[in-house]
Amino acid sequence: MTQSAAAAANVTPLKPTPQASATVVALPQPKKSLFDARTKTRALELAATVVPPIVTIAALLLLWEMLCSSPSSSLPAPSTVISDTWELIANPFYDNGGNDKGLGWQLYASLKRVALGYALAAVAGVALGALVGGSTWAMRGLDPVFQVLRTIPPLAWLPLSLAAFRDGEPSAIFVIFITAIWPVIINTAVGIRNIPQDYKNVAQVLRLNPIEYFTKIMLPAAAPYIFTGLRIGIGLSWLAIVAAEMLIGGVGIGFFIWDAWNSSRISDIILALIYVGAVGYVLDRLVALVAAAVTRGTAAS
Amino acid sequence: MSKPFLKIEHVDKSFSRGAMTNEVLKDVSLEVNEGEYISIIGHSGCGKSTLLNIVAGLTEATKGVVFLEGKVVDEPGPDRAVVFQNHSLLPWLTCYENVALAVDKVFGRSKTKAERHDWVMHKLKLVHMEHAKDRRPSEISGGMKQRIGIARALAMQPKVLLLDEPFGALDALTRTHLQDQVMQIQTELKNTVLMITHDVDEAVLLSDRIVMMTNGPSARIGEILDVNLPRPRKRLELVSDRNYIAARAAVLKFLYERHRFVEAA
């Protein structure tokens, strides 16, 4: 009612004939029902994405509970895991000194190593990838070396880096670095090799200098490729850190798992594995989100 | 007649791959006066794009020289802005940013930030695209992209505007519309323009002179036709204009006679 009255008030000064007020009334009605329909479909869509994984997880937990509930079972059932590890779940940030810290601190220590190693790998990887992608001679010289080095399993680097750094901490960071760098290099190089001639022509006509070319053409044009490499890299880093920490010891989720195994705390291992999986998932989503934000509109038209 | 503004002197171009040498252009010479609108027309593969790229500095001539205002052209530069056939806008920048990239590079030192902004907006207004300044190239139509491409080229305030089949990828209606706009801009700014085309009507409508190329390999300039039509030109009035019909017939005749001649040889 008020809307139609307002509309009528708006119309009158322009066309002082009284006919106008009659035509406006019908509009708000369908709009409201349309909105209702839209919220309904949105709720249905949400349910369609949320319900199937919940059902799957519930079914898996049930199966696990049934398989492991007998007293002779070698692995604990989910209910046992929760009751065994309740202290750890409830207090993620306790600190009793030494290695006896909550899971929050353990994950924090691992994440710190990954952050440092991965950041170094991202910077060096993009730089080396740009070199290999941009220069034919650099590619001929470096590519065979990269192709051999990248097949070396991450942990195989650990003894060598321990020998070089004589300390666990930088060695673990180096292992992350050397694990994550290869996909970044290779994808960046492919991305830069695939920059369309059109963009290069534009850069030439504008006489962009090498620095401007790098920041204004090369990086944005290769960004989708670079982020593919970065996303593979973060996944590999998280895979490698757990294994590396098992060997170097100290605070960190990897050694926590190894320590739990040595003291036969199987429930702790299971809880830690769930945390490792969740953190790995979050890391992957984070890089994907950054990629989506940065490469918005880069898809060629 | 003033002294030639742009001078192409005995330009040869051949591409070689191993022992195979493919001569594309043979002894091409052309003089263009300031403010002149020149079309280069020829069948596909006759090396007209190669000629444009040589003038742009994107391709190096095997032999011969290009002079612009008496200076040798040996590298690309904003004084010879190119409108590429496939628009070549950077997809990660908005329309405004695409033009601003050129303006900031060319006038970064000589204009203040506010002046540069006004300059970009003025060029966008010139091609009637100011409403889409914040949109990305993927969100606008082909004709709009090409208009942004033209705005970017004009924004560099080039001495010569090089158009590489600028309307080739557009539908007939959009093409007509853009041709009219380019004519209007040309009346206003009096640019020197070198345009590649394979559309006879477009060449006659827009040009002061039409350069007709023979077929490749070893293409050269076959004939140059003066188009004696007063400006401003109106598409509809020209349809029955005697000079227009004669010019059109001359170009068509050249293209089809020459075509047959080369195939027989």
Side-chain angles (χ1 to χ4, degrees):
Chain A
M1 274 304 279
T2 48
Q3 260 200 348
S4 68
N10 272 338
V11 172
T12 23
L14 286 170
K15 277 186 181 177
T17 41
Q19 294 166 316
S21 60
T23 50
V24 190
V25 190
L27 265 172
Q29 209 74 3
K31 205 177 175 188
K32 202 170 182 188
S33 68
L34 202 95
F35 181 71
D36 274 355
R38 204 179 296 159
T39 38
K40 207 180 260 176
T41 45
R42 201 172 289 172
L44 277 173
E45 270 170 31
L46 190 72
T49 48
V50 170
V51 171
I54 289 179
V55 170
T56 317
I57 291 168
L60 285 173
L61 284 174
L62 197 69
L63 186 71
W64 177 10
E65 184 76 45
M66 287 194 303
L67 285 175
C68 300
S69 54
S70 78
S72 62
S73 154
S74 55
L75 292 176
S79 52
T80 330
V81 170
I82 292 175
S83 60
D84 282 355
T85 60
W86 187 248
E87 282 294 299
L88 284 170
I89 297 171
N91 307 307
F93 290 104
Y94 75 84
D95 186 352
N96 294 341
N99 285 351
D100 192 8
K101 291 187 165 99
L103 273 172
W105 291 122
Q106 307 278 2
L107 285 169
Y108 175 70
S110 302
L111 279 172
K112 230 168 45 179
R113 292 185 185 115
V114 166
L116 197 57
Y118 178 70
L120 288 172
V123 172
V126 170
L128 279 171
L131 182 69
V132 172
S135 143
T136 317
W137 284 108
M139 189 190 75
R140 286 183 193 159
L142 290 171
D143 198 54
V145 181
F146 290 165
Q147 295 301 339
V148 172
L149 289 183
R150 78 186 177 93
T151 62
I152 298 173
L155 279 192
W157 290 100
L158 190 61
L160 192 67
S161 53
L162 279 170
F165 296 111
R166 294 168 195 284
D167 187 13
E169 192 67 26
S171 302
I173 291 166
F174 175 78
V175 168
I176 299 306
F177 169 82
I178 206 76
T179 308
I181 196 168
W182 308 116
V184 181
I185 291 179
I186 289 163
N187 282 284
T188 304
V190 170
I192 280 164
R193 236 172 279 150
N194 282 343
I195 293 176
Q197 186 61 41
D198 297 343
Y199 304 166
K200 295 182 195 163
N201 286 346
V202 170
Q204 279 188 289
V205 168
L206 288 175
R207 287 207 188 125
L208 297 183
N209 63 39
I211 296 166
E212 288 168 327
Y213 180 68
F214 182 73
T215 56
K216 292 190 170 149
I217 307 279
M218 228 188 217
L219 278 187
Y225 291 89
I226 294 174
F227 274 100
T228 306
L230 288 175
R231 213 170 147 191
I232 300 171
I234 194 76
L236 291 179
S237 302
W238 194 239
L239 290 181
I241 190 66
V242 174
E245 282 174 347
M246 284 185 177
L247 294 176
I248 61 162
V251 179
I253 195 72
F255 186 68
F256 176 87
I257 293 171
W258 193 244
D259 194 36
W261 160 244
N262 282 333
S263 19
S264 300
R265 287 180 278 121
I266 307 298
S267 293
D268 288 10
I269 296 177
I270 292 170
L271 181 71
L273 288 188
I274 291 167
Y275 279 19
V276 167
V279 170
Y281 175 77
V282 169
L283 287 177
D284 181 65
R285 295 311 308 166
L286 268 180
V287 177
L289 273 178
V290 174
V294 173
T295 61
R296 190 169 53 100
T298 312
S301 46
Chain B
M1 276 276 275
S2 54
K3 67 175 171 68
F5 184 66
L6 174 72
K7 197 170 176 187
I8 302 170
E9 243 181 30
H10 307 296
V11 162
D12 288 4
K13 177 71 197 175
S14 45
F15 293 100
S16 36
R17 179 178 289 166
M20 291 271 289
T21 304
N22 181 17
E23 191 168 47
V24 181
L25 293 173
K26 177 79 187 163
D27 196 24
V28 173
S29 295
L30 179 68
E31 292 183 356
V32 181
N33 298 313
E34 190 163 8
E36 228 182 344
Y37 198 118
I38 304 276
S39 287
I40 299 172
I41 197 165
H43 289 290
S44 55
C46 75
K48 49 194 196 299
S49 283
T50 309
L51 181 61
L52 190 93
N53 282 341
I54 290 172
V55 177
L58 292 167
T59 307
E60 216 178 312
T62 314
K63 242 162 102 187
V65 205
V66 176
F67 293 102
L68 178 61
E69 283 188 317
K71 268 178 259 160
V72 178
V73 165
D74 53 2
E75 58 166 348
D79 55 343
R80 282 155 288 122
V82 188
V83 176
F84 299 95
Q85 179 176 9
N86 53 357
H87 66 77
S88 297
L89 299 178
L90 304 177
W92 53 88
L93 299 179
T94 63
C95 294
Y96 177 90
E97 288 165 340
N98 263 292
V99 180
L101 177 70
V103 172
D104 290 347
K105 184 61 195 168
V106 178
F107 300 109
R109 297 226 178 96
S110 55
K111 287 184 197 291
T112 66
K113 209 174 166 192
E115 278 172 342
R116 276 180 273 149
H117 170 78
D118 292 343
W119 186 258
V120 173
M121 288 313 292
H122 174 252
K123 298 307 163 198
L124 287 173
K125 221 167 270 173
L126 206 60
V127 295
H128 304 291
M129 283 299 291
E130 71 270 34
H131 62 280
K133 71 183 179 72
D134 295 323
R135 294 219 243 151
R136 284 168 199 276
S138 55
E139 299 163 353
I140 60 178
S141 70
M144 290 162 115
K145 280 180 217 164
Q146 202 50 280
R147 281 195 269 168
I148 298 295
I150 293 169
R152 178 175 63 184
L154 289 174
M156 300 176 209
Q157 209 168 38
K159 289 174 182 153
V160 183
L161 189 60
L162 303 171
L163 307 176
D164 187 2
E165 292 188 37
F167 316 120
L170 305 175
D171 65 89
L173 281 175
T174 314
R175 192 185 306 166
T176 312
H177 185 65
L178 270 184
Q179 286 164 352
D180 289 343
Q181 254 180 23
V182 165
M183 256 200 295
Q184 206 184 333
I185 291 168
Q186 176 63 9
T187 324
E188 241 174 273
L189 303 180
K190 307 229 173 349
N191 276 307
T192 311
V193 183
L194 206 59
M195 178 178 80
I196 302 288
T197 182
H198 50 225
D199 182 331
V200 177
D201 288 302
E202 180 175 288
V204 178
L205 180 69
L206 295 174
S207 320
D208 298 316
R209 282 194 291 159
I210 301 174
V211 174
M212 292 174 264
M213 307 268 299
T214 64
N215 278 343
S218 305
R220 51 191 176 76
I221 293 177
E223 229 174 274
I224 298 178
L225 179 78
D226 284 300
V227 183
N228 291 314
L229 292 168
R231 290 181 189 271
R233 295 173 183 171
K234 292 262 163 50
R235 185 184 297 277
L236 285 176
E237 289 167 15
L238 285 178
V239 173
S240 51
D241 187 294
R242 256 187 329 131
N243 287 338
Y244 178 83
I245 295 169
R248 199 173 172 277
V251 178
L252 282 171
K253 215 169 157 193
F254 173 89
L255 285 177
Y256 291 100
E257 275 181 2
R258 188 64 68 178
H259 196 51
R260 213 170 290 145
F261 170 69
V262 166
E263 270 184 351

